[in-house]
Tab-separated table of all heavy atoms in Angstrom:
chain	number	residue	atom	x	y	z
A	1578	THR	N	-8.626	-38.066	-7.194
A	1578	THR	CA	-7.778	-37.824	-8.346
A	1578	THR	C	-6.492	-37.192	-7.839
A	1578	THR	O	-6.545	-36.343	-6.959
A	1578	THR	CB	-8.469	-36.844	-9.316
A	1578	THR	OG1	-9.770	-37.344	-9.596
A	1578	THR	CG2	-7.691	-36.694	-10.601
A	1579	PRO	N	-5.350	-37.614	-8.358
A	1579	PRO	CA	-4.093	-37.045	-7.852
A	1579	PRO	C	-3.988	-35.552	-8.161
A	1579	PRO	O	-4.579	-35.065	-9.119
A	1579	PRO	CB	-3.018	-37.837	-8.596
A	1579	PRO	CG	-3.704	-38.401	-9.786
A	1579	PRO	CD	-5.122	-38.605	-9.393
A	1580	LEU	N	-3.224	-34.870	-7.343
A	1580	LEU	CA	-3.048	-33.436	-7.534
A	1580	LEU	C	-2.333	-33.148	-8.837
A	1580	LEU	O	-2.642	-32.196	-9.532
A	1580	LEU	CB	-2.241	-32.852	-6.372
A	1580	LEU	CG	-2.927	-32.922	-5.013
A	1580	LEU	CD1	-2.033	-32.330	-3.946
A	1580	LEU	CD2	-4.249	-32.184	-5.058
A	1581	GLU	N	-1.369	-33.977	-9.143
A	1581	GLU	CA	-0.615	-33.731	-10.357
A	1581	GLU	C	-1.292	-34.431	-11.531
A	1581	GLU	O	-1.906	-35.466	-11.371
A	1581	GLU	CB	0.835	-34.206	-10.211
A	1581	GLU	CG	1.012	-35.643	-9.768
A	1581	GLU	CD	0.791	-35.814	-8.270
A	1581	GLU	OE1	0.724	-34.813	-7.543
A	1581	GLU	OE2	0.645	-36.971	-7.846
A	1582	ASP	N	-1.187	-33.832	-12.679
A	1582	ASP	CA	-1.730	-34.433	-13.896
A	1582	ASP	C	-0.898	-35.650	-14.260
A	1582	ASP	O	0.303	-35.538	-14.500
A	1582	ASP	CB	-1.619	-33.429	-15.053
A	1582	ASP	CG	-2.849	-32.558	-15.117
A	1582	ASP	OD1	-3.851	-32.899	-14.467
A	1582	ASP	OD2	-2.793	-31.553	-15.824
A	1583	THR	N	-1.511	-36.760	-14.310
A	1583	THR	CA	-0.749	-37.930	-14.712
A	1583	THR	C	-1.655	-38.892	-15.464
A	1583	THR	O	-2.817	-39.069	-15.128
A	1583	THR	CB	-0.117	-38.643	-13.493
A	1583	THR	OG1	0.375	-39.910	-13.900
A	1583	THR	CG2	-1.138	-38.851	-12.391
A	1584	LYS	N	-1.086	-39.504	-16.470
A	1584	LYS	CA	-1.858	-40.430	-17.289
A	1584	LYS	C	-2.132	-41.720	-16.535
A	1584	LYS	O	-3.076	-42.435	-16.819
A	1584	LYS	CB	-1.093	-40.781	-18.567
A	1584	LYS	CG	-0.624	-39.560	-19.323
A	1584	LYS	CD	-1.324	-39.442	-20.640
A	1584	LYS	CE	-0.928	-38.187	-21.380
A	1584	LYS	NZ	-1.833	-37.057	-21.136
A	1585	SER	N	-1.257	-42.012	-15.571
A	1585	SER	CA	-1.345	-43.320	-14.940
A	1585	SER	C	-2.629	-43.494	-14.136
A	1585	SER	O	-2.975	-44.599	-13.758
A	1585	SER	CB	-0.124	-43.560	-14.050
A	1585	SER	OG	0.048	-42.485	-13.169
A	1586	ILE	N	-3.336	-42.410	-13.909
A	1586	ILE	CA	-4.581	-42.536	-13.160
A	1586	ILE	C	-5.686	-43.163	-14.005
A	1586	ILE	O	-6.635	-43.753	-13.482
A	1586	ILE	CB	-5.033	-41.161	-12.627
A	1586	ILE	CG1	-6.244	-41.293	-11.679
A	1586	ILE	CG2	-5.427	-40.236	-13.777
A	1586	ILE	CD1	-5.973	-42.002	-10.402
A	1587	LEU	N	-5.539	-43.079	-15.313
A	1587	LEU	CA	-6.662	-43.357	-16.195
A	1587	LEU	C	-7.301	-44.726	-16.029
A	1587	LEU	O	-8.508	-44.879	-16.137
A	1587	LEU	CB	-6.235	-43.146	-17.659
A	1587	LEU	CG	-5.833	-41.707	-17.985
A	1587	LEU	CD1	-5.357	-41.581	-19.422
A	1587	LEU	CD2	-7.000	-40.756	-17.716
A	1588	ARG	N	-6.499	-45.759	-15.782
A	1588	ARG	CA	-7.057	-47.115	-15.738
A	1588	ARG	C	-7.773	-47.427	-14.426
A	1588	ARG	O	-8.491	-48.421	-14.331
A	1588	ARG	CB	-5.953	-48.142	-15.965
A	1588	ARG	CG	-4.742	-47.940	-15.050
A	1588	ARG	CD	-3.676	-48.960	-15.322
A	1588	ARG	NE	-4.010	-50.206	-14.682
A	1588	ARG	CZ	-3.388	-50.665	-13.589
A	1588	ARG	NH1	-2.391	-49.984	-13.032
A	1588	ARG	NH2	-3.733	-51.813	-13.055
A	1589	TRP	N	-7.572	-46.580	-13.425
A	1589	TRP	CA	-8.105	-46.913	-12.099
A	1589	TRP	C	-9.581	-46.547	-11.952
A	1589	TRP	O	-10.035	-45.511	-12.412
A	1589	TRP	CB	-7.304	-46.199	-11.009
A	1589	TRP	CG	-5.875	-46.646	-10.950
A	1589	TRP	CD1	-4.827	-46.088	-11.615
A	1589	TRP	CD2	-5.366	-47.741	-10.204
A	1589	TRP	NE1	-3.670	-46.775	-11.319
A	1589	TRP	CE2	-3.980	-47.801	-10.447
A	1589	TRP	CE3	-5.930	-48.691	-9.338
A	1589	TRP	CZ2	-3.157	-48.758	-9.877
A	1589	TRP	CZ3	-5.103	-49.635	-8.760
A	1589	TRP	CH2	-3.730	-49.677	-9.035
A	1590	THR	N	-10.292	-47.415	-11.279
A	1590	THR	CA	-11.659	-47.102	-10.876
A	1590	THR	C	-11.568	-46.065	-9.763
A	1590	THR	O	-10.821	-46.241	-8.802
A	1590	THR	CB	-12.364	-48.364	-10.334
A	1590	THR	OG1	-12.437	-49.319	-11.384
A	1590	THR	CG2	-13.764	-48.021	-9.837
A	1591	ARG	N	-12.326	-44.984	-9.910
A	1591	ARG	CA	-12.108	-43.874	-8.975
A	1591	ARG	C	-13.265	-42.895	-9.043
A	1591	ARG	O	-14.247	-43.119	-9.743
A	1591	ARG	CB	-10.822	-43.145	-9.338
A	1591	ARG	CG	-10.919	-42.448	-10.687
A	1591	ARG	CD	-9.563	-42.041	-11.189
A	1591	ARG	NE	-9.654	-41.229	-12.385
A	1591	ARG	CZ	-9.777	-41.707	-13.628
A	1591	ARG	NH1	-9.867	-43.011	-13.820
A	1591	ARG	NH2	-9.839	-40.894	-14.650
A	1592	PHE	N	-13.136	-41.782	-8.335
A	1592	PHE	CA	-14.058	-40.672	-8.557
A	1592	PHE	C	-13.276	-39.385	-8.646
A	1592	PHE	O	-12.096	-39.320	-8.298
A	1592	PHE	CB	-15.158	-40.613	-7.498
A	1592	PHE	CG	-14.650	-40.541	-6.087
A	1592	PHE	CD1	-14.116	-39.368	-5.579
A	1592	PHE	CD2	-14.749	-41.653	-5.251
A	1592	PHE	CE1	-13.667	-39.301	-4.277
A	1592	PHE	CE2	-14.292	-41.587	-3.940
A	1592	PHE	CZ	-13.752	-40.421	-3.452
A	1593	GLU	N	-13.957	-38.386	-9.125
A	1593	GLU	CA	-13.295	-37.091	-9.342
A	1593	GLU	C	-14.079	-35.991	-8.655
A	1593	GLU	O	-15.293	-35.915	-8.783
A	1593	GLU	CB	-13.252	-36.781	-10.839
A	1593	GLU	CG	-11.854	-36.795	-11.395
A	1593	GLU	CD	-11.855	-36.677	-12.910
A	1593	GLU	OE1	-12.848	-36.188	-13.469
A	1593	GLU	OE2	-10.861	-37.098	-13.518
A	1594	ALA	N	-13.372	-35.104	-7.992
A	1594	ALA	CA	-14.037	-33.969	-7.356
A	1594	ALA	C	-14.429	-32.968	-8.443
A	1594	ALA	O	-13.702	-32.786	-9.409
A	1594	ALA	CB	-13.109	-33.313	-6.346
A	1595	PRO	N	-15.587	-32.339	-8.301
A	1595	PRO	CA	-16.055	-31.374	-9.304
A	1595	PRO	C	-15.354	-30.039	-9.088
A	1595	PRO	O	-15.944	-29.105	-8.562
A	1595	PRO	CB	-17.554	-31.271	-9.009
A	1595	PRO	CG	-17.670	-31.545	-7.538
A	1595	PRO	CD	-16.537	-32.464	-7.182
A	1596	ARG	N	-14.117	-29.972	-9.495
A	1596	ARG	CA	-13.293	-28.821	-9.121
A	1596	ARG	C	-13.820	-27.503	-9.644
A	1596	ARG	O	-13.860	-26.503	-8.935
A	1596	ARG	CB	-11.852	-29.048	-9.592
A	1596	ARG	CG	-11.150	-30.078	-8.733
A	1596	ARG	CD	-9.723	-30.252	-9.129
A	1596	ARG	NE	-9.585	-31.169	-10.253
A	1596	ARG	CZ	-8.422	-31.482	-10.814
A	1596	ARG	NH1	-7.316	-30.944	-10.365
A	1596	ARG	NH2	-8.372	-32.315	-11.822
A	1597	GLU	N	-14.229	-27.486	-10.901
A	1597	GLU	CA	-14.745	-26.233	-11.449
A	1597	GLU	C	-15.994	-25.783	-10.699
A	1597	GLU	O	-16.124	-24.624	-10.311
A	1597	GLU	CB	-15.049	-26.394	-12.941
A	1597	GLU	CG	-15.537	-25.110	-13.571
A	1597	GLU	CD	-15.617	-25.223	-15.092
A	1597	GLU	OE1	-14.692	-25.802	-15.681
A	1597	GLU	OE2	-16.599	-24.732	-15.671
A	1598	GLU	N	-16.877	-26.738	-10.469
A	1598	GLU	CA	-18.136	-26.405	-9.784
A	1598	GLU	C	-17.869	-25.950	-8.351
A	1598	GLU	O	-18.553	-25.084	-7.815
A	1598	GLU	CB	-19.065	-27.618	-9.818
A	1598	GLU	CG	-20.488	-27.352	-9.372
A	1598	GLU	CD	-21.115	-26.144	-10.039
A	1598	GLU	OE1	-21.012	-26.006	-11.282
A	1598	GLU	OE2	-21.700	-25.323	-9.326
A	1599	MET	N	-16.840	-26.507	-7.741
A	1599	MET	CA	-16.488	-26.083	-6.383
A	1599	MET	C	-16.067	-24.614	-6.375
A	1599	MET	O	-16.427	-23.849	-5.484
A	1599	MET	CB	-15.356	-26.966	-5.835
A	1599	MET	CG	-15.810	-28.369	-5.463
A	1599	MET	SD	-14.417	-29.523	-5.262
A	1599	MET	CE	-13.828	-29.073	-3.633
A	1600	GLY	N	-15.305	-24.245	-7.392
A	1600	GLY	CA	-14.899	-22.843	-7.504
A	1600	GLY	C	-16.109	-21.933	-7.661
A	1600	GLY	O	-16.221	-20.908	-6.990
A	1601	ARG	N	-16.995	-22.328	-8.542
A	1601	ARG	CA	-18.190	-21.507	-8.776
A	1601	ARG	C	-19.000	-21.367	-7.504
A	1601	ARG	O	-19.426	-20.283	-7.130
A	1601	ARG	CB	-19.080	-22.155	-9.849
A	1601	ARG	CG	-18.410	-22.364	-11.174
A	1601	ARG	CD	-19.423	-22.814	-12.199
A	1601	ARG	NE	-20.354	-21.753	-12.481
A	1601	ARG	CZ	-20.690	-21.360	-13.702
A	1601	ARG	NH1	-20.162	-21.959	-14.740
A	1601	ARG	NH2	-21.526	-20.390	-13.871
A	1602	GLU	N	-19.214	-22.494	-6.854
A	1602	GLU	CA	-20.048	-22.481	-5.659
A	1602	GLU	C	-19.408	-21.633	-4.561
A	1602	GLU	O	-20.103	-20.898	-3.848
A	1602	GLU	CB	-20.270	-23.909	-5.164
A	1602	GLU	CG	-21.118	-24.010	-3.914
A	1602	GLU	CD	-22.536	-23.489	-4.109
A	1602	GLU	OE1	-22.971	-23.377	-5.272
A	1602	GLU	OE2	-23.205	-23.188	-3.097
A	1603	ALA	N	-18.106	-21.702	-4.448
A	1603	ALA	CA	-17.422	-20.894	-3.426
A	1603	ALA	C	-17.696	-19.422	-3.671
A	1603	ALA	O	-17.974	-18.660	-2.737
A	1603	ALA	CB	-15.921	-21.182	-3.448
A	1604	VAL	N	-17.637	-19.017	-4.927
A	1604	VAL	CA	-17.915	-17.620	-5.248
A	1604	VAL	C	-19.359	-17.272	-4.914
A	1604	VAL	O	-19.650	-16.232	-4.322
A	1604	VAL	CB	-17.639	-17.331	-6.734
A	1604	VAL	CG1	-18.120	-15.938	-7.101
A	1604	VAL	CG2	-16.163	-17.477	-7.028
A	1605	ARG	N	-20.263	-18.175	-5.273
A	1605	ARG	CA	-21.674	-17.934	-4.952
A	1605	ARG	C	-21.860	-17.705	-3.464
A	1605	ARG	O	-22.504	-16.753	-3.050
A	1605	ARG	CB	-22.511	-19.152	-5.381
A	1605	ARG	CG	-23.095	-19.016	-6.765
A	1605	ARG	CD	-24.027	-20.190	-7.070
A	1605	ARG	NE	-23.737	-20.719	-8.388
A	1605	ARG	CZ	-23.279	-21.926	-8.641
A	1605	ARG	NH1	-23.057	-22.778	-7.653
A	1605	ARG	NH2	-23.030	-22.303	-9.879
A	1606	LEU	N	-21.299	-18.572	-2.676
A	1606	LEU	CA	-21.452	-18.453	-1.230
A	1606	LEU	C	-20.866	-17.145	-0.728
A	1606	LEU	O	-21.446	-16.456	0.104
A	1606	LEU	CB	-20.765	-19.630	-0.525
A	1606	LEU	CG	-21.376	-21.009	-0.775
A	1606	LEU	CD1	-20.611	-22.069	-0.017
A	1606	LEU	CD2	-22.843	-21.013	-0.374
A	1607	LEU	N	-19.707	-16.807	-1.275
A	1607	LEU	CA	-19.042	-15.588	-0.813
A	1607	LEU	C	-19.869	-14.356	-1.174
A	1607	LEU	O	-20.071	-13.471	-0.337
A	1607	LEU	CB	-17.651	-15.494	-1.438
A	1607	LEU	CG	-16.768	-14.357	-0.939
A	1607	LEU	CD1	-16.678	-14.377	0.569
A	1607	LEU	CD2	-15.384	-14.446	-1.553
Side-chain angles (χ1 to χ4, degrees):
Chain A
T1578 308
L1580 295 179
E1581 53 282 348
D1582 271 346
T1583 168
K1584 308 247 177 266
S1585 52
I1586 187 66
L1587 297 177
R1588 51 181 280 253
W1589 296 91
T1590 297
R1591 66 195 187 276
F1592 56 75
E1593 247 172 22
R1596 287 183 277 179
E1597 182 171 318
E1598 190 49 47
M1599 287 164 78
R1601 301 188 68 131
E1602 180 62 19
V1604 172
R1605 266 186 227 116
L1606 294 180
L1607 186 53

